[in-house]
Amino acid sequence: MSKIDENVDYKEEILRLKKEKNAVILAHYYQVGAIQEIADFVGDSLALSKQAAGTDANIIVFAGVHFMAETAKIVNPSKKVLLPDLNAGCSLSESCNAADFEVFRAKHPGYLAVTYINCSAEVKALSDIICTSSNARKIIESIPKDQPILFSPDRNLGKYLIEVTGRNLLLWDGACMVHEAFSFEKLVALQKKHPNAKVVAHPESETNILRLAHFIGSTSAMLDFVKSDLCQEFLIATEAGILHQMMKEVPDKILIPVPAKENNTCACSECPYMKMNTMQKLYECLLNESPEITLDAILISKALVPLEHMFELSK
Ligand code: 13P
Ligand code: SF4
């Protein structure tokens, strides 16, 4: 990475290059505010994958993490897909490597593999149906009750799904390092200080946090809830990037991020992978058309099948 050039107006240059190259910038809610502001579309994992599938731009710049950019390539393989920092991974995706997942599947013949979108293309290719936090419940409920299911890789989302659907899912033992880090004690203390506040949590959070939540949903669903609910104060248990859109949508409401266990300085939780993308990297990746996501054509065709099942089942 080259050093910051103070003569470059990154915002202006990104907008110019985007137009010149017919590129679209898709950003997840956990990106820094400046990237969310310059993006053509900001959304949760499901909405971003749909945008990627439907775009007629020549280049998709994915301001998110690696599995999201890979998903964009799988659903729209003729496009050039760029990721500002190739090291922008995901602890959940990394907790589930394809070789171990293949063994897990082989040990459980007759099970259907429903896999969270936070996984590699190889793991997707070994799965039956992909889901995101916004459609996981609907997808599990669409599967016949006598069909045994493997749910991977997020054990917290899996436990939540077991609770709300009453299904006996066999879980992979993975977790999101950001959503697992919320402190139950600090949340209880915050609730005492703000007795009228509603707790809003992402289902990747641990069960003790979810038990205190008034609303559980994907990043987009949390945003909708905060917008539509009459309550004026919310304790937000997800990555702090969502506060950018929330503060824009509900400037008069009080939004308090739930602190992490080990976090004594900053009052919020940030995903170190999501925050690897910067305006400078976004500019350089558009300028150089690199780093690019490339995937083997056979892998793309195999990984597309469970993603198409997801699109079909979440209509
Ligand atoms: P959603 O965007 O589906 O809410 O997922 C959150 C997340 O952790 C993405 O990595
Ligand atoms: Fe992965 Fe968690 Fe970061 Fe999302 S917030 S990209 S699940 S580590």
Side-chain angles (χ1 to χ4, degrees):
M1 170 61 51
S2 52
K3 62 182 176 24
I4 292 182
D5 184 344
E6 280 165 11
N7 297 317
V8 178
D9 180 334
Y10 292 124
K11 187 176 166 192
E12 198 174 290
E13 282 303 298
I14 290 166
L15 291 172
R16 182 184 65 76
L17 287 166
K18 195 166 75 82
K19 202 164 164 197
E20 186 184 297
K21 298 184 180 222
N22 186 25
V24 67
I25 301 176
L26 305 181
H28 190 267
Y29 287 122
Y30 298 164
Q31 293 295 290
V32 293
I35 293 182
Q36 293 191 40
E37 285 305 301
I38 209 160
D40 296 287
F41 182 81
V42 186
D44 68 1
S45 309
L46 179 64
L48 288 166
S49 62
K50 286 183 178 166
Q51 286 288 324
T55 186
D56 51 15
N58 296 335
I59 297 177
I60 299 171
V61 185
F62 215 109
V65 291
H66 195 270
F67 77 81
M68 294 180 172
E70 264 191 353
T71 304
K73 185 71 187 172
I74 296 163
V75 297
N76 209 338
S78 67
K79 307 296 179 190
K80 184 177 259 188
V81 178
L82 306 175
L83 179 66
D85 189 327
L86 269 191
N87 293 317
C90 166
S91 65
L92 255 176
S93 178
E94 278 152 33
S95 74
C96 185
N97 81 57
D100 294 341
F101 186 68
E102 201 167 6
V103 172
F104 183 57
R105 281 225 67 174
K107 272 190 187 158
H108 302 286
Y111 278 69
L112 198 78
V114 178
T115 308
Y116 196 35
I117 198 164
N118 298 37
C119 64
S120 66
E122 288 78 7
V123 169
K124 285 185 176 72
L126 291 165
S127 303
D128 297 306
I129 310 172
I130 298 299
C131 70
T132 76
S133 52
S134 51
N135 58 23
R137 181 177 182 167
K138 190 172 178 186
I139 285 177
I140 297 292
E141 283 173 345
S142 74
I143 298 167
K145 285 204 165 56
D146 57 352
Q147 170 63 58
I149 301 170
L150 302 176
F151 186 81
S152 311
D154 188 358
R155 63 169 176 263
N156 292 314
L157 176 59
K159 283 181 201 164
Y160 167 72
L161 291 168
I162 290 172
E163 200 162 309
V164 292
T165 65
R167 299 293 292 263
N168 183 21
L169 312 176
L170 197 55
L171 306 181
W172 181 273
D173 193 18
C176 160
M177 60 188 284
V178 180
H179 290 90
E180 267 221 328
F182 293 119
S183 162
F184 178 76
E185 287 75 22
K186 288 179 187 174
L187 175 54
V188 170
L190 270 176
Q191 282 191 298
K192 281 200 180 115
K193 211 168 148 192
H194 303 270
N196 298 322
K198 282 191 177 168
V199 179
V200 179
H202 194 280
E204 286 172 19
S205 309
E206 288 180 311
T207 309
N208 58 358
I209 300 286
L210 296 182
R211 292 228 194 283
L212 297 181
H214 298 85
F215 179 80
I216 299 167
S218 78
T219 41
S220 304
M222 292 167 93
L223 189 59
D224 290 343
F225 179 76
V226 166
K227 264 171 25 188
S228 60
D229 195 81
L230 295 177
C231 184
Q232 291 302 306
E233 230 179 325
F234 298 92
L235 303 175
I236 313 291
T238 193
E239 210 268 359
I242 189 72
L243 294 169
H244 180 77
Q245 293 296 328
M246 281 186 179
M247 286 189 302
K248 273 175 70 177
E249 300 274 4
V250 288
D252 299 328
K253 294 192 180 181
I254 300 166
L255 307 167
I256 304 160
V258 175
K261 293 166 193 152
E262 304 297 333
N263 190 347
N264 295 321
T265 46
C266 164
C268 56
S269 291
E270 292 197 325
C271 172
Y273 300 109
M274 286 279 183
K275 296 308 194 261
M276 280 181 184
N277 297 324
T278 61
M279 287 290 274
Q280 184 190 357
K281 289 181 195 172
L282 186 57
Y283 158 70
E284 288 178 351
C285 114
L286 252 176
L287 181 71
N288 304 322
E289 299 188 19
S290 167
E292 184 183 353
I293 301 291
T294 54
L295 292 171
D296 172 79
I298 296 172
L299 178 59
I300 289 181
S301 63
K302 286 185 180 162
L304 183 60
V305 176
L307 277 162
E308 280 179 338
H309 287 149
M310 170 181 84
F311 290 133
E312 195 51 42
L313 290 169
S314 57
K315 264 181 193 162

